[in-house]
Amino acid sequence: MGDEELDRESELAGVPTGATRLRRAVELICSLLSLSLSIRVFAGKWQLIRNKLEELHSGLVSAENCDSGENPSLSRLVTSIVATVNECHDLGQRCVDVAYSGKLLMQSDLDVAFAKLDGLARRLSEIYKTGILTNGFALVVSKPSLGASKEDMRFYVRDVLTRMKIGDLGMKKQALRNLLEVVVEDEKYVKVIVVDVGDVVHVLVGFLGSGEVEIQEESAKVVSVVAGFDSYKGVLISAGVIAPLIRVLDCGSELGKVASARCLMKLTENSDNAWAVSAHGGVTALLNICGNDDCKGDLVGPACGVLRNLVGVEEVKRFMVEEDAVSTFIRLVKSKEEAIQVNSIGFIQNIACGDELIREKVIRDGGIRALLRVLDPKWSYSLKTKVIAMRAIESLCFTSSSSVSILMSYGFVDQLLYYVRNGEVSIQELALKVAFRLCGTSEEAKKAMGDAGFMSEFVKFLNAKSYEVREMAAEALSGMVMVPRNRKRFVQDDHNIALLLQLLDPEEGNPGNKKFLISILMSLTSCNSGRKKIVSSGYAKNIDKFAEIEVSSDAKKLVKKLSANRFRSMLNGIWHS
């Protein structure tokens, strides 16, 4: 007679069957869990007991859905579980009623109860590991709805953890997929995983070394989500996550490598973790990925990002330079993938920052040409990439006059003018700042910018809404008109002088840049045509008005200079008459 027939006969005779005993055990555990939430004494010990009860609950619920029928080992275990849970229920009721003879004795009883439950959970795990129980389907406990209580979320995660520990391969995969789903949907689950059910992190780290590709991939994805929270990065590091992530980079699947690289990029945002990555051979593994033409963009992009984070450590930076990382990343700037472009430009900028020798190597190896290619309007790079390239150029090339000369010889002035005139707001303002800085580098730069047509653009910005923009434009013009040929070009447009004089009106706004307007006008008086146009302008009286209220002597000097010129002109007129 088979087990199913025996169970039917037992049921008819009123004797509990294996299925009913299992169901009874599950119900008793649920009842005790509910009771335990009302207990206000010995909170720490009851939390440990609750963890074991949840683990047993998940394992028994899974056993209810197994296809192997009655199993003697499981049957004996269920009997022990029922007896122990009943004992714990009695302890729980006494704790609720605070009806125990002494605290020390109750603490001892709770320790014994926990030890029994722990032993039962181990035995259940061993039964699953033998393969006697075949899981019918992987997930039984339903995912809590959005806005669920912390207890429901914790119970669900504990159930998933149990399946990750004692389930077969299919169950483990399903548990990981469900864990990934909840941490992506609701970040509260991340705290539950790390703080409330801490075993999850250690199990995930262990799974990174699994020979099963899907287990490895899903674990890396979950760990990457957790790594996105600054307060939990230390937990991952303490659990030893760096070494297995790097092993996945070395020999994992493509998806596993991508998830590992993304995780490492988040973990290395804090340079304290750079040494751990380097110590486990991570720098070499990442450089190999970046230098491999067969690797796809979704892997190379985050790999670049990790190395970009690591260059702040001097020894790691030196190793990268020795491994010819500079040339590798200059080549990657030309990639068609935005993530690779952005991270490779960031890497070049970071590795050369504050290091003249490396900066020279970047220029020598074609780094500036690569960045200027990004800014070339005929290439369809994204706005984000162009902005980062512009910042990198400013960082790399404005530290020495020779670098500025090289930059200008590559046609940068024309590119810069293009973005000042036509760029979207974010890059236009950046281009203006770079132009302002370039203007202050040398007289050659001022001449080149004057020849290119920058002065008329700066004039337009004198009326900008932004105080900073108005100030930069006025200061840049003040410097440019000090060059004689720029002065002559500037005064040829009558509109320029008229606008300067209009803006000098004390009743107008824009008070901040008036000192630079005075400086510009003072320079223009060095030119005969400039003096004449200022004096003959209908707005010339604004100079006198401004000089009356201006504390500094610059405006008064301008008035004096123009008055002397007017008097000299009158004498010349009388003499020639």
Side-chain angles (χ1 to χ4, degrees), residues 298-545:
D298 54 355
L299 172 57
V300 177
C304 290
V306 181
L307 291 171
R308 174 185 178 179
N309 292 341
L310 299 182
V311 295
V313 178
E314 188 65 25
E315 291 80 358
V316 175
K317 178 171 75 172
R318 292 297 164 195
F319 175 75
M320 291 183 191
V321 173
E322 290 170 5
E323 294 296 306
D324 202 25
V326 171
S327 297
T328 298
F329 280 87
I330 289 173
R331 178 176 57 80
L332 287 174
V333 172
K334 300 175 184 178
S335 168
K336 295 179 180 179
E337 304 269 355
E338 184 188 79
I340 299 177
Q341 297 160 4
V342 168
N343 283 312
S344 57
I345 293 171
F347 174 90
I348 291 169
Q349 183 176 347
N350 287 3
I351 201 169
C353 181
D355 194 311
E356 187 64 22
L357 292 176
I358 296 179
R359 194 182 61 78
E360 289 176 1
K361 178 174 175 56
V362 168
I363 296 173
R364 190 169 58 249
D365 290 356
I368 303 307
R369 286 188 181 278
L371 293 172
L372 290 179
R373 184 178 186 270
V374 172
L375 294 177
D376 193 327
K378 71 171 179 282
W379 294 102
S380 57
Y381 287 90
S382 71
L383 177 62
K384 180 179 180 180
T385 304
K386 288 178 177 179
V387 167
I388 291 172
M390 183 77 77
R391 287 178 179 150
I393 285 172
E394 182 184 15
S395 172
L396 290 168
C397 298
F398 284 74
T399 56
S400 70
S401 57
S402 60
S403 299
V404 172
S405 297
I406 292 171
L407 184 63
M408 290 171 57
S409 70
Y410 290 159
F412 178 64
V413 171
D414 291 332
Q415 285 190 354
L416 192 58
L417 181 62
Y418 172 84
Y419 289 105
V420 169
R421 282 177 174 167
N422 309 302
E424 295 183 42
V425 175
S426 58
I427 196 167
Q428 185 184 45
E429 288 191 4
L430 177 59
L432 179 64
K433 290 176 183 178
V434 174
F436 166 72
R437 190 171 176 189
L438 179 62
C439 182
T441 57
S442 66
E443 185 165 336
E444 288 70 23
K446 291 184 179 73
K447 289 177 180 178
M449 293 174 73
D451 294 342
F454 267 92
M455 286 190 295
S456 60
E457 300 306 316
F458 286 139
V459 168
K460 293 175 185 176
F461 285 112
L462 291 176
N463 258 328
K465 292 181 179 179
S466 165
Y467 171 83
E468 184 184 9
V469 169
R470 295 195 306 268
E471 198 80 352
M472 282 193 298
E475 188 173 351
L477 273 175
S478 176
M480 289 190 71
V481 296
M482 292 177 69
V483 178
R485 74 184 190 199
N486 286 344
R487 257 198 316 271
K488 291 177 181 178
R489 184 178 284 114
F490 187 84
V491 298
Q492 286 173 0
D493 187 343
D494 294 342
H495 169 75
N496 289 341
I497 291 178
L499 178 63
L500 290 175
L501 294 171
Q502 279 180 275
L503 293 174
L504 206 59
D505 188 343
E507 297 178 6
E508 293 287 329
N510 308 349
N513 59 1
K514 285 184 168 56
K515 64 178 181 179
F516 292 114
L517 299 181
I518 291 292
S519 174
I520 295 168
L521 290 168
M522 185 70 82
S523 293
L524 296 181
T525 58
S526 301
C527 170
N528 286 330
S529 57
R531 286 195 305 273
K532 291 177 181 177
K533 288 186 176 182
I534 293 172
V535 171
S536 61
S537 171
Y539 300 101
K541 61 180 181 295
N542 286 341
I543 299 175
D544 296 318
K545 289 164 62 178

Side-chain angles (χ1 to χ4, degrees), residues 33 47-59 114 121 139 141 144 150-166 175 179 189 192-193 195-200 203:
L33 282 169
Q47 181 62 60
L48 295 173
I49 290 173
R50 207 160 27 241
N51 291 346
K52 287 302 169 185
L53 288 171
E54 288 173 354
E55 191 172 328
L56 283 169
H57 178 273
S58 298
F114 171 77
L139 192 65
V141 176
K150 184 178 179 181
E151 279 302 319
D152 287 344
M153 295 167 69
R154 186 175 167 278
F155 184 80
Y156 179 74
V157 171
R158 175 63 67 180
D159 178 78
V160 170
L161 175 62
T162 301
R163 297 170 192 283
M164 288 163 61
K165 283 182 173 180
I166 68 175
L179 189 62
Y189 277 97
V192 173
I193 287 172
V195 178
D196 298 335
V197 192
D199 284 353
V200 179
V203 173

Side-chain angles (χ1 to χ4, degrees), residues 74-141:
L74 181 61
S75 182
R76 288 191 295 272
L77 178 61
V78 169
T79 300
S80 299
I81 290 173
V82 169
T84 304
V85 171
N86 279 327
E87 292 173 10
C88 290
H89 198 284
D90 177 60
L91 292 173
Q93 191 61 57
R94 285 158 57 192
C95 286
V96 169
D97 299 335
V98 195
Y100 43 85
S101 55
K103 287 186 176 182
L104 291 177
L105 181 59
M106 178 54 73
Q107 286 178 333
S108 176
D109 289 343
L110 292 176
D111 287 338
V112 171
F114 171 77
K116 285 183 178 181
L117 292 171
D118 185 51
L120 293 170
R122 291 171 191 266
R123 285 170 60 189
L124 182 58
S125 178
E126 290 301 320
I127 289 174
Y128 271 98
K129 288 177 181 177
T130 61
I132 295 171
L133 298 176
T134 305
N135 182 247
F137 48 90
L139 192 65
V140 177
V141 176

Side-chain angles (χ1 to χ4, degrees), residues 2-14:
D3 290 335
E4 292 182 7
E5 293 175 351
L6 285 171
D7 274 350
R8 279 196 296 271
E9 286 192 7
S10 299
E11 193 171 357
L12 290 170

